Amino acid sequence: MNKKFKVIVLFILALVMLVNVPYAFDSVVYAVTQGDIDNKGDELDDIKDKIEMTEEELKKYEKEQEALGNEIAALLDAISKQADELYLLEESLQNTYKSIDTLNAEIIKLEDDIVEQKESMDNRLRTMYKTNVFSYFELIFNAESLSDFFYRIRLSKELMSLDRDVLGDYKKSRDEIIKKQDILSEQEESIIEQQNIITAKKEALEAVEAEKRDKMELLTSEEQLIRIEFDLMMAEEEKLQQELNKLIEEKKAEDEKKRKEEEERKKREEEAAKLKGDIVVDMSVSKTNLCWPVPGHHAISSKYGMRWHPFRNGYYMHNGIDVCSTYKVSINKAFVRAVDAGKVTLAKYYGTFGNCVMIDHGNGMVTLYAHASELLVKAGQYVVQGQKIMKVGSTGSSNAPHLHFEIRINNKPVDPFDKYFINTDT
């Protein structure tokens, strides 16, 4: 896989994981076991081991990069020194070229002097030719007198000396020119040779430095890949830690719930043991597992639904049923029983309900019993099915002893005769 493409893929994965971390727990709720916690702990340990190994690998890369960086710095220093030497050599070469230019100017001047000297000889020869004097001997032996003879001898010596001086100066000038040309040529060759050597060294160092830089770039790319993987693992560790913490909290909550349920169960068992022989469960009109609240009394004076209110003088919703006396049997002071086991959440005088009891049976079901003459339970108490909770009375908004009974599902009143009980008083 192309390294650049791999970096992009890993980066996208990292973003996806980081975005999804807050929603890692949107899953189906189930009972957490110690095995779940142990397994999640093992996953967390595994990712921590991987993180530790990756950290060591990153440290190794950092050391390699540091060492390589030092090597590159040393190479750059050496290249800089070679460049300085090349600069000095170039400066020396330019000075040599200046010397060559100076020498060329001297050569031009010497050549001009030679030309001038040659012209002087040529002029003298032309003069001798015009005077028919072609040699020093002729010049001497053509003397007209003894004094002329000595004059001519002295003149010949002077001319011969002059010719020797001219020839000597020409030879000397030529030798100096050749010598200086050789020296400067050697200097130029030496400088160029040194330049070539240093340039080759510099190029070799630059090649090594380029190779080291390529290696550094490769190390950096590999390190970036590992760092992305490291970030992914860190995000995974955080996610696993959150999941583990959530599992632990859920386990604690479940354990606490079980503890409380066990306490409630024991309390109910203790309550049931105390009430043994005093429990009455009337299932004669039941459609479900609920028992009738007032055993032996099935007369109904008011059903669930709209009715004429005896105190408000208008039609109002009646959220329950009223169990009442018959002409033959009075319901007053009759025991009211819990239709099912549960926890008493209210047991007190409660406005128009008078003396009232409410029991939470769990799963959203609450039952309400109103207008009691006497309460036999307290809030917070656990009751069992068929247990006495109150005595029928006429407290609150009531014009005769009766039981007002409601069933509420998720805080909404429902008709008890809809699916829970059979109305035999039709």
Side-chain angles (χ1 to χ4, degrees), residues 149-213:
F149 175 77
F150 287 110
Y151 169 74
R152 287 174 180 268
I153 288 175
R154 182 169 54 82
L155 180 61
S156 295
K157 287 181 181 180
E158 289 178 359
L159 287 174
M160 290 178 68
S161 175
L162 180 61
D163 287 338
R164 283 196 299 272
D165 289 343
V166 169
L167 290 175
D169 289 341
Y170 175 78
K171 185 175 181 298
K172 182 179 178 182
S173 297
R174 184 186 62 188
D175 291 343
E176 287 179 0
I177 290 170
I178 293 173
K179 184 177 180 181
K180 287 182 179 181
Q181 282 180 330
D182 290 342
I183 291 171
L184 288 174
S185 294
E186 288 177 0
Q187 282 183 342
E188 181 183 7
E189 288 176 2
S190 176
I191 292 171
I192 292 173
E193 184 180 356
Q194 289 181 62
Q195 276 186 322
N196 291 336
I197 292 171
I198 293 173
T199 300
K201 287 182 180 179
K202 182 172 175 287
E203 289 175 352
L205 289 171
E206 287 173 344
V208 174
E209 189 260 345
E211 183 182 342
K212 297 287 185 183
R213 283 195 180 277

Side-chain angles (χ1 to χ4, degrees), residues 307-371:
R307 70 166 185 176
W308 180 265
H309 199 283
F311 296 100
R312 295 181 180 179
N313 294 322
Y315 282 97
Y316 291 90
M317 183 66 189
H318 187 228
N319 289 327
I321 59 174
D322 291 342
V323 184
C324 62
S325 302
T326 64
Y327 291 110
K328 296 181 179 180
V329 181
S330 173
I331 198 172
N332 190 35
K333 302 291 181 72
F335 288 113
V336 178
R337 311 275 175 167
V339 298
D340 200 2
K343 182 179 181 180
V344 178
T345 57
L346 182 143
K348 66 178 182 178
Y349 195 92
Y350 194 47
T352 58
F353 288 116
N355 290 323
C356 179
V357 171
M358 293 178 69
I359 301 173
D360 185 353
H361 303 285
N363 298 319
M365 177 183 280
V366 174
T367 53
L368 181 146
Y369 314 78
H371 308 305

Side-chain angles (χ1 to χ4, degrees), residues 127-300:
T127 300
M128 292 174 65
Y129 177 78
K130 288 178 181 179
T131 56
N132 293 321
V133 179
F134 298 101
S135 67
Y136 299 119
F137 297 104
E138 290 180 6
L139 182 64
I140 294 170
F141 290 110
N142 288 333
E144 295 178 356
S145 63
L146 184 61
S147 59
D148 185 41
F149 175 77
F150 287 110
Y151 169 74
R152 287 174 180 268
I153 288 175
R154 182 169 54 82
L155 180 61
S156 295
K157 287 181 181 180
E158 289 178 359
L159 287 174
M160 290 178 68
S161 175
L162 180 61
D163 287 338
R164 283 196 299 272
D165 289 343
V166 169
L167 290 175
D169 289 341
Y170 175 78
K171 185 175 181 298
K172 182 179 178 182
S173 297
R174 184 186 62 188
D175 291 343
E176 287 179 0
I177 290 170
I178 293 173
K179 184 177 180 181
K180 287 182 179 181
Q181 282 180 330
D182 290 342
I183 291 171
L184 288 174
S185 294
E186 288 177 0
Q187 282 183 342
E188 181 183 7
E189 288 176 2
S190 176
I191 292 171
I192 292 173
E193 184 180 356
Q194 289 181 62
Q195 276 186 322
N196 291 336
I197 292 171
I198 293 173
T199 300
K201 287 182 180 179
K202 182 172 175 287
E203 289 175 352
L205 289 171
E206 287 173 344
V208 174
E209 189 260 345
E211 183 182 342
K212 297 287 185 183
R213 283 195 180 277
D214 290 341
K215 187 176 179 181
M216 177 68 85
E217 184 178 347
L218 180 61
L219 279 174
T220 303
S221 298
E222 291 175 352
E223 184 202 15
Q224 288 175 347
L225 285 173
I226 293 172
R227 285 200 178 278
I228 290 174
E229 293 175 358
F230 179 77
D231 292 340
L232 285 172
M233 285 188 284
M234 290 296 290
E236 179 67 12
E237 181 194 23
E238 182 180 356
K239 173 176 169 286
L240 289 173
Q241 187 65 61
Q242 291 177 359
E243 291 176 352
L244 178 60
N245 293 341
K246 184 173 184 293
L247 288 174
I248 292 172
E249 290 302 318
E250 287 179 356
K251 183 69 168 56
K252 285 181 180 179
E254 288 174 8
D255 290 344
E256 181 63 17
K257 181 181 177 182
K258 287 179 181 178
R259 185 188 66 78
K260 289 182 178 180
E261 287 176 350
E262 182 63 20
E263 286 182 358
E264 291 177 6
R265 185 188 65 78
K266 287 181 179 180
K267 286 181 180 180
R268 286 195 295 269
E269 288 178 353
E270 291 172 0
E271 193 69 27
K274 290 178 183 178
L275 299 169
K276 191 174 182 181
D278 197 22
I279 302 297
V280 178
V281 177
D282 181 1
M283 304 295 290
S284 61
V285 293
S286 178
K287 292 180 181 181
T288 60
N289 61 337
L290 302 182
C291 69
W292 186 249
V294 193
H297 297 274
H298 300 106
I300 304 298

Side-chain angles (χ1 to χ4, degrees), residues 65-75 216:
Q65 286 176 313
E66 183 181 0
L68 197 56
N70 292 335
E71 290 180 18
I72 291 173
L75 285 169
M216 177 68 85

Side-chain angles (χ1 to χ4, degrees), residues 360-425:
D360 185 353
H361 303 285
N363 298 319
M365 177 183 280
V366 174
T367 53
L368 181 146
Y369 314 78
H371 308 305
S373 61
E374 184 183 351
L375 299 177
L376 303 177
V377 292
K378 297 178 180 180
Q381 180 180 341
Y382 291 91
V383 295
V384 296
Q385 189 178 41
Q387 180 180 339
K388 297 173 185 177
I389 60 172
M390 61 193 289
K391 290 181 180 180
V392 175
S394 188
T395 56
S397 297
S398 172
N399 54 13
H402 73 284
L403 169 67
H404 173 79
F405 175 69
E406 292 183 16
I407 296 177
R408 298 178 180 181
I409 303 298
N410 297 323
N411 295 320
K412 182 180 180 182
V414 298
D415 186 356
F417 288 136
D418 183 22
K419 62 178 182 178
Y420 294 98
F421 298 104
I422 301 169
N423 184 5
T424 59
D425 187 21

